[in-house]
Amino acid sequence: MRSPFRHSLRLIATREETSPALRADAARNRRRVLAAAAAVFAERGLDLSTAEIARRAEVGEATLFRRFPTKDALIVAVMQDQFDQVIATAEACLQEPDPWHGLERFLTEMVAARASDIGALEGVKDHCITSPELDWHRRRVME
């Protein structure tokens, strides 16, 4: 039996994927929120208020929630950025002429970046494995 609906869930994109490019100030605020969230999560873990993140980013909570409708969405966005950094580091290390040096550099940079990042440790445990938004990143890291 054919569905009465014209669209499947697979074809529905997120608002971020289909919206026009952000205005310069909106893009700047988004970057500020992500940077503040990453810093606060690293320092204090994931169990904190969004008010603290907004204050650190110097934006209102409404601005934060305009881009990230839930705290989990913000956590996933921060983790996506962190995965992107891991992928970029891995790709750079693969260019090393000496494979052993490349591996050593990768491990050293990863440990240095994550050793004191409380939020990354909690995020991996709570979101990384189960979040469908991180599927591409998980697959890419495993390649």
Side-chain angles (χ1 to χ4, degrees):
M1 174 180 219
R2 188 167 180 233
S3 171
F5 302 106
R6 295 183 320 173
H7 306 287
S8 72
L9 288 177
R10 289 187 327 228
L11 299 177
I12 298 174
T14 66
R15 194 170 124 211
E16 289 286 328
E17 292 168 340
T18 59
S19 63
L22 294 176
R23 293 185 336 250
D25 61 329
R28 185 176 48 253
N29 286 341
R30 184 178 195 282
R31 286 190 306 271
R32 288 168 66 177
V33 168
L34 284 172
V40 172
F41 292 156
E43 295 165 10
R44 299 187 22 219
L46 303 180
D47 191 26
L48 60 109
S49 73
T50 54
E52 170 65 18
I53 295 167
R55 185 189 65 69
R56 178 92 57 107
E58 299 178 345
V59 300
E61 277 192 89
T63 298
L64 184 149
F65 284 115
R66 193 171 299 118
R67 287 288 137 221
F68 308 99
T70 65
K71 186 175 171 184
D72 280 344
L74 178 58
I75 292 168
V76 167
V78 168
M79 292 191 68
Q80 286 172 327
D81 281 355
Q82 291 175 346
F83 266 119
D84 288 339
Q85 291 169 12
V86 169
I87 292 166
T89 300
E91 289 173 345
C93 292
L94 285 171
Q95 301 305 312
E96 290 283 345
D98 178 2
W100 181 255
H101 185 264
L103 176 61
E104 179 182 38
R105 177 180 157 203
F106 177 77
L107 294 174
T108 300
E109 290 185 26
M110 289 300 96
V111 169
R114 302 293 173 246
S116 62
D117 191 336
I118 298 167
L121 298 174
E122 291 177 5
V124 167
K125 178 181 70 166
D126 296 339
H127 297 278
C128 178
I129 304 303
T130 59
S131 175
E133 291 89 355
L134 294 172
D135 283 345
W136 180 87
H137 291 84
R138 280 192 301 270
R139 283 193 308 274
R140 185 70 177 110
V141 166
M142 297 308 289
E143 291 175 358

